[in-house]
Amino acid sequence: MKKLALHWKILLGMAMGILVAILLIQFPFGKLFALNWIKPFGNIFINALKVIAVPLILASLIKGVTDLKDISKLSKMGFKTIGLYLITTVIAVSIGLVMVNILQPGDFLEQSTKQELLKNFESEAQSKIEMAESQKSQSPLKAIEDIVPSNIVKAASDNGNMLQVIFFAILMGIGLILIPQEKAKPLIDFFDSLNELILKIIDLIMKVAPFGVFALMTALVVESPSVDLFKALGIYALTVILGLAVIMLFYFFLVYVFTKKTPKFFINGMLPAQLLAFSTSSSAATLPVTMERVEEHLGVDEEVASFVLPIGATVNMDGTSLYQAVAAVFIAQAFGMELSLYTQLGIIATATLASIGSAAVPGAGMVMLVIVLAQAGIPEAGLALIFAIDRPLDMFRTTINVTGDAVVAMIIAKSEGLLHEPKKES
Ligand code: ASP
């Protein structure tokens, strides 16, 4: 019998997870059972993915930079990467703004539902606002200052500090290019072999991915708020999801125009990473798998993937930026505010920056949304309106975030002559 492709197994795991959850909530003990006996396996799976993220970034980036053998090549690729990330993010926010202005989801929210949501989620919204407050009161250059770690062990000990690890890895790579070759070789060989080892570990972890997503989905469904709330926020959710779907089409278009690869090829290569992003809501946890898929299944050379993807996971969040634009305007509409064109243009700028500043973990986009709201003069308490449905939307936007990184990696690889036929079939 032909072996089932990985993405089918993962999809099956997700479907089973939802089914089991629906079954379990029919029983009084069901929720507790799922949380005590199924959810921990989901956490174990996410931890296993996270534990290899830092070593993977170090090993692959150092190897990637030293493979370039020349600093000017590195800076050229750096500029292209950041440029493409910015352009795609601005396009994403703009798509979001167009969608939310056409569909006007805020007008569909009934007055009574609005009051209920504001009351029920007031304290949750407040805690997000406080988290954002501490980031807002810092100097504008703080974000850049934060990229340079003062202690690499400390930076590597915190998965939220990926940019610091990236900075250190690039610095080491540059140093290794500059010192005499015979001195550099042992270290380069070391990272090369570490890189190989980590790719193998990812392979092993992916073997249990269907079980991991099963557990994650079960926990998610038993913990989700009532279906009625989802209905009330349905048009808003639909606006976000439609916007994300438009971005996906835009990605297919970009991939086809720049690399001549079909959507089928792209999806076949990326689907396991996309499903994982969907189930974990974390670009950082998905990064190891994104790298493996992009290199082995989309044919992007390691030199490009190891440089473009870790940076993308932390700074390029097209899905998050679109969501922030839609959410901000939705809240304004719900409060009966008219936003001028000038304010909406401001949202393009702040949502782009806020998505760059969002950490690659679940719910981070919502914290940074506070900054977009504040800038546009929209009441921050409005966060309570969208709280109930944030997690499902996080799943969709994280999938787009991860996909956007892969698209940029392919385009850059093509432009550098580093896009090959993939090593593996999906
Ligand atoms: N969960 C998203 C990510 O990891 C960030 C967010 O929008 O909350 O990419």
Side-chain angles (χ1 to χ4, degrees):
M1 201 175 82
K2 200 165 169 264
K3 258 180 71 190
L4 211 56
L6 180 62
H7 55 257
W8 287 118
K9 290 190 200 157
I10 298 180
L11 270 172
L12 207 69
M14 290 167 88
M16 293 292 287
I18 297 172
L19 240 131
V20 167
I22 294 175
L23 257 170
L24 280 175
I25 42 183
Q26 310 304 323
F27 301 98
F29 60 85
K31 181 169 175 185
L32 207 65
F33 177 83
L35 296 183
N36 284 337
W37 295 97
I38 300 181
K39 190 178 178 184
F41 291 101
N43 293 342
I44 291 173
F45 175 61
I46 294 198
N47 286 347
L49 283 170
K50 281 189 182 160
V51 76
I52 46 175
V54 168
L56 172 68
I57 291 178
L58 271 179
S60 71
L61 207 51
I62 290 173
K63 177 165 183 328
V65 172
T66 50
D67 277 350
L68 288 175
K69 295 192 178 69
D70 158 6
I71 314 275
S72 67
K73 238 170 133 184
L74 177 71
S75 62
K76 202 174 107 210
M77 194 148 90
F79 276 118
K80 266 198 232 170
T81 306
I82 301 296
L84 270 175
Y85 279 159
L86 268 178
I87 294 171
T88 48
T89 305
V90 169
I91 293 176
V93 186
S94 311
I95 293 176
L97 282 179
V98 171
M99 302 293 287
V100 73
N101 279 297
I102 294 177
L103 295 174
Q104 303 269 351
D107 299 348
F108 290 86
L109 197 63
E110 303 219 358
Q111 196 58 26
S112 55
T113 325
K114 190 177 121 189
Q115 295 310 336
E116 199 188 320
L117 286 170
L118 285 175
K119 205 171 88 230
N120 288 352
F121 292 98
E122 194 188 350
S123 62
E124 281 94 342
Q126 196 51 40
S127 76
K128 295 270 174 192
I129 294 170
E130 273 158 25
M131 269 157 103
E133 265 331 304
S134 60
Q135 305 196 16
K136 235 188 338 188
S137 54
Q138 295 158 348
S139 124
L141 287 185
K142 181 79 176 127
I144 297 176
E145 193 184 321
D146 278 348
I147 294 178
V148 186
S150 62
N151 181 322
I152 185 57
V153 179
K154 203 166 144 220
S157 73
D158 178 355
N159 278 337
N161 268 336
M162 292 295 189
L163 275 183
Q164 298 193 339
V165 179
I166 291 171
F167 176 84
F168 184 73
I170 294 177
L171 205 63
M172 264 187 91
I174 293 175
L176 282 170
I177 295 178
L178 296 177
I179 61 176
Q181 238 190 354
E182 72 277 9
K183 297 270 185 217
K185 193 167 179 309
L187 259 186
I188 295 178
D189 286 345
F190 168 79
F191 285 114
D192 195 9
S193 111
L194 183 62
N195 198 31
E196 217 34 60
L197 166 70
I198 291 168
L199 285 177
K200 190 65 230 143
I201 296 179
I202 297 170
D203 258 357
L204 294 178
I205 296 177
M206 284 312 276
K207 290 203 189 310
V208 298
F211 301 101
V213 295
F214 164 80
L216 288 171
M217 291 310 277
T218 308
L220 216 86
V221 175
V222 299
E223 281 182 310
S224 69
S226 84
V227 181
D228 291 347
L229 272 180
F230 282 0
K231 275 197 208 133
L233 292 168
I235 307 282
Y236 157 67
L238 203 75
T239 313
V240 175
I241 293 171
L242 273 178
L244 295 175
V246 173
I247 300 189
M248 189 63 99
L249 294 178
F250 171 61
Y251 286 157
F252 290 154
F253 171 76
L254 286 182
V255 169
Y256 189 73
V257 168
F258 286 97
T259 71
K260 295 282 169 292
K261 300 286 183 198
T262 61
K264 182 162 175 267
F265 168 87
F266 182 73
I267 286 289
N268 266 343
M270 268 306 277
L271 200 53
Q274 290 173 313
L275 292 175
L276 220 58
F278 186 79
S279 330
T280 59
S281 288
S282 168
S283 308
T286 314
L287 178 65
V289 182
T290 315
M291 291 188 66
E292 198 257 348
R293 298 306 296 189
V294 169
E295 282 174 27
E296 316 260 306
H297 299 261
L298 295 181
V300 173
D301 196 283
E302 204 188 345
E303 267 175 43
V304 175
S306 61
F307 180 78
V308 174
L309 294 173
I311 298 178
T314 27
V315 305
N316 183 47
M317 298 195 179
D318 298 345
T320 298
S321 67
L322 175 136
Y323 145 83
Q324 286 169 336
V326 174
V329 179
F330 168 75
I331 294 172
Q333 288 168 353
F335 282 116
M337 290 171 67
E338 275 292 331
L339 295 180
S340 65
L341 184 67
Y342 181 72
T343 314
Q344 301 222 16
L345 289 178
I347 291 181
I348 297 189
T350 46
T352 301
L353 293 176
S355 71
I356 292 174
S358 302
V361 297
M366 195 180 200
V367 175
M368 297 305 276
L369 172 61
V370 176
I371 293 172
V372 181
L373 294 177
Q375 206 71 30
I378 303 167
E380 293 160 13
L383 273 193
L385 294 178
I386 55 168
F387 207 93
I389 203 159
D390 199 63
R391 182 57 197 248
L393 293 183
D394 196 359
M395 299 163 82
F396 286 102
R397 65 184 188 246
T398 308
T399 308
I400 291 293
N401 290 347
V402 166
T403 310
D405 301 341
V407 171
V408 170
M410 281 184 84
I411 296 176
I412 291 186
K414 180 75 186 178
S415 75
E416 302 276 329
L418 291 170
L419 188 68
H420 318 293
E421 277 315 305
K423 289 187 211 140
K424 290 186 189 165
E425 291 211 359
S426 35

